[in-house]
Amino acid sequence: MNSASSRSRTLKTVGALGMAAATAVLMTGCGQSPDSATSAATSEAAKVVPQKQTTSPSASARLTEDQQERKKVLDATKVTFDDAATTATGEVAGGKLVDLDLEGVDDDDDQDQSPSPTGSGSPTGSASPTGSASPSGTGSPSASPGSEGPIWVAEVAEKDGTVHTVRINAVDGKVIEARVDADQDADDKKQTADRLAQATQTPQQAAKVATEKKKGTVTSVGLDDNDGKGVVWQVDVVGSDWKKTTFDVDAKTDTIVREETDND
């Protein structure tokens, strides 16, 4: 009995070892271990799960319509405010700059300040025919900008307040048109002359004060009344965020008396 039991236990042990060996052979034949099988399953699942989108929207997609328009105009503009001011005053003997705007940047304001000429002349936003003479008879011949593009529109006053409008191509700096405003009366001329007499600081100085406060590009400078408390140079500056900030700079003291940012 003891001998039989011993043989039985031996057979069971051999059988168990055989099963283990068969399992090992089977796993080896399949070419992967339990760990590698788990890894493969994880890899296959990863192929199914969509990858997270990491690409951020373009900067231009976040700009407002006004900001996009400012960017478009300023990207095309090659002539600076200073250069345009020098060119404009050079068209009027003894003239002083009263207003200078970059057309296409916040045009609603620009059109109010720089109306189209009465009667003949080029409407706002279009150039005079190439080679046509200046309506004033004293300015440079009109130069075609080649295509519609950014234009500086200046108002330059003589000593008696007579205002001339000078339009300058903002790409090549050529004068498109120089003419005397036809709709001025004696009161208009007197008001302009009085304001210029009060302005002891130049528009260039006011622009410098504004850009020291906010880094950016000057797109407009105009002489205006400060609610009966003297006169101010109103300066528009467009920053790297394409937002416009308007500064009222006292035309005597060069101090900023008002600042407002347009977030549109």
Side-chain angles (χ1 to χ4, degrees):
M1 290 293 290
N2 290 338
S3 177
S5 297
S6 176
R7 284 197 300 272
S8 176
R9 285 195 298 271
T10 301
L11 289 173
K12 288 180 180 179
T13 301
V14 170
L17 290 173
M19 289 290 291
T23 301
V25 170
L26 182 60
M27 292 299 295
T28 303
C30 292
Q32 61 180 170
S33 65
D35 288 343
S36 64
T38 303
S39 176
T42 303
S43 177
E44 288 300 318
K47 293 179 182 178
V48 178
V49 178
Q51 296 298 310
K52 184 178 179 181
Q53 177 60 258
T54 58
T55 304
S56 59
S58 64
S60 60
R62 296 192 296 268
L63 298 178
T64 67
E65 185 176 343
D66 286 346
Q67 289 167 353
Q68 290 180 34
E69 188 62 26
R70 292 172 194 141
K71 182 179 186 304
K72 178 182 176 182
V73 174
L74 288 174
D75 282 348
T77 297
K78 307 302 179 187
V79 178
T80 65
F81 157 77
D82 286 331
D83 289 340
T86 299
T87 299
T89 53
E91 289 294 306
V92 181
K96 290 186 177 181
L97 190 68
V98 178
D99 191 275
L100 181 60
D101 291 297
L102 183 59
E103 205 170 70
V105 179
D106 303 294
D107 260 347
D108 288 341
D109 293 337
D110 294 346
Q111 289 171 358
D112 290 340
Q113 295 171 356
S114 302
S116 297
T118 302
S120 61
S122 298
T124 300
S126 62
S128 299
T130 304
S132 61
S134 167
S136 66
T138 58
S140 301
S142 298
S144 171
S147 62
E148 265 189 52
I151 296 172
W152 285 104
V153 181
E155 292 182 359
V156 181
E158 297 178 31
K159 188 175 182 179
D160 67 352
T162 300
V163 173
H164 298 242
T165 294
V166 182
R167 296 166 62 80
I168 301 164
N169 187 315
V171 177
D172 60 23
K174 294 180 180 179
V175 174
I176 299 169
E177 179 186 36
R179 60 175 174 78
V180 176
D181 285 357
D183 56 353
Q184 301 171 83
D185 58 24
D187 289 339
D188 292 333
K189 293 179 182 180
K190 183 178 185 304
Q191 182 185 69
T192 299
D194 288 347
R195 287 181 178 178
L196 282 172
Q198 295 178 63
T200 57
Q201 303 299 312
T202 67
Q204 288 87 346
Q205 288 171 314
K208 184 175 184 292
V209 169
T211 52
E212 284 177 348
K213 181 68 183 295
K214 176 181 179 175
K215 300 299 181 184
T217 302
V218 176
T219 60
S220 176
V221 176
L223 189 61
D224 202 0
D225 180 70
N226 186 24
D227 296 325
K229 297 177 288 187
V231 291
V232 292
W233 288 109
Q234 194 169 81
V235 184
D236 288 346
V237 179
V238 175
S240 58
D241 55 3
W242 307 109
K243 294 180 181 179
K244 180 191 74 174
T245 300
T246 300
F247 297 92
D248 284 356
V249 182
D250 190 292
K252 285 187 176 181
T253 64
D254 257 0
T255 57
I256 296 172
V257 296
R258 186 182 73 90
E259 176 182 343
E260 182 178 352
T261 298
D262 182 357
N263 290 311
D264 291 336

